[in-house]
Amino acid sequence: MKDLSISQEYVLCSLNKKGKFPALSTEIPVCVLAGGLTKLLASNCIQIDEKNKVCVIGNLSEKQFHLKSLFDWLNTSKPMKIEKITQEYSLTFTDKRLNALVTDIGNSLADRGCVTSRKGGIFGNKFYFIPNPDEVDKVIQKIRAELLENGTISDETVALVSLLEKSHQIKKYFSKYESEQLKARLQEIKEAPSNQLVKQMVDYVDMIIAVTAVAAISTAH
């Protein structure tokens, strides 16, 4: 099993056979950003204060290099509210920052043999990342082993399932019964006193998505 981050696993599982995200999904861009922010939080690169402002507090390690465009932008700006970050990453007409983040994550997956990259689009300058079905299946089987078969649960797997569930991707890989089991298991994990670190990570995901959803609505109006 390749050592992938939340962002890498989420993007890998969210791409379709043509190497693109499903059309018309407003949740997936938000979840790509949420995955990146959650990874930076878990790595102590950033923190979120009581006013929902993101502050850089550490340095990016080589393992998080696929998040460099996001980290560099946060690091060259004053502390920003999550709403502002979301507007830059998922609510703009150009999608410039989001495309840079997805391209960096996609290239890191290509380096590991998890996807095949190709160029296309009107000007031939857009990257598409076609997922390797075997690598996608490894991620899904890891989720199944940890959450449905009572294996050892990692913080990142819990956060990944939260993102997949929030963006309606779970149904692609799990039956309705399994999906309900996963949701119940997530709730159980959040409520267990011994899982405070896991709970914190899930809470981060929930908070980021909730705040970005509000920002999306207010921007639309």
Side-chain angles (χ1 to χ4, degrees), residues 75-203:
N75 200 26
T76 55
S77 305
K78 294 186 294 185
M80 278 180 293
K81 285 196 170 186
I82 294 177
E83 293 96 327
K84 172 64 176 173
I85 297 169
T86 304
Q87 287 170 3
E88 290 287 340
Y89 271 83
S90 58
L91 300 173
T92 62
F93 290 109
T94 62
D95 292 331
K96 178 181 175 182
R97 297 194 195 283
L98 179 67
N99 287 338
L101 177 59
V102 172
T103 299
D104 286 348
I105 294 171
N107 285 333
S108 72
L109 289 170
D111 290 343
R112 291 167 169 78
C114 297
V115 300
T116 302
S117 65
R118 66 176 178 83
K119 275 191 172 184
I122 297 173
F123 302 105
N125 59 355
K126 184 175 177 61
F127 280 95
Y128 296 97
F129 300 99
I130 301 163
N132 179 334
D134 290 338
E135 296 300 329
V136 174
D137 189 58
K138 287 176 186 177
V139 176
I140 299 307
Q141 293 309 320
K142 181 184 74 167
I143 292 172
R144 180 171 275 112
E146 291 187 25
L147 290 177
L148 296 180
E149 298 172 6
N150 297 319
T152 302
I153 303 167
S154 69
D155 299 347
E156 293 208 347
T157 296
V158 174
L160 171 64
V161 173
S162 293
L163 290 172
L164 291 172
E165 195 267 322
K166 294 285 184 183
S167 57
H168 314 295
Q169 302 290 311
I170 286 289
K171 60 186 177 183
K172 283 170 53 178
Y173 303 108
F174 297 95
S175 68
K176 184 179 179 182
Y177 173 72
E178 288 175 325
S179 298
E180 289 173 354
Q181 277 190 304
L182 283 171
K183 288 177 73 172
R185 192 85 168 91
L186 280 178
Q187 192 59 37
E188 180 186 309
I189 290 166
K190 284 179 69 174
E191 292 174 357
S194 59
N195 290 327
Q196 288 306 300
L197 187 60
V198 176
K199 181 182 184 303
Q200 185 180 38
M201 187 165 283
V202 174
D203 285 345

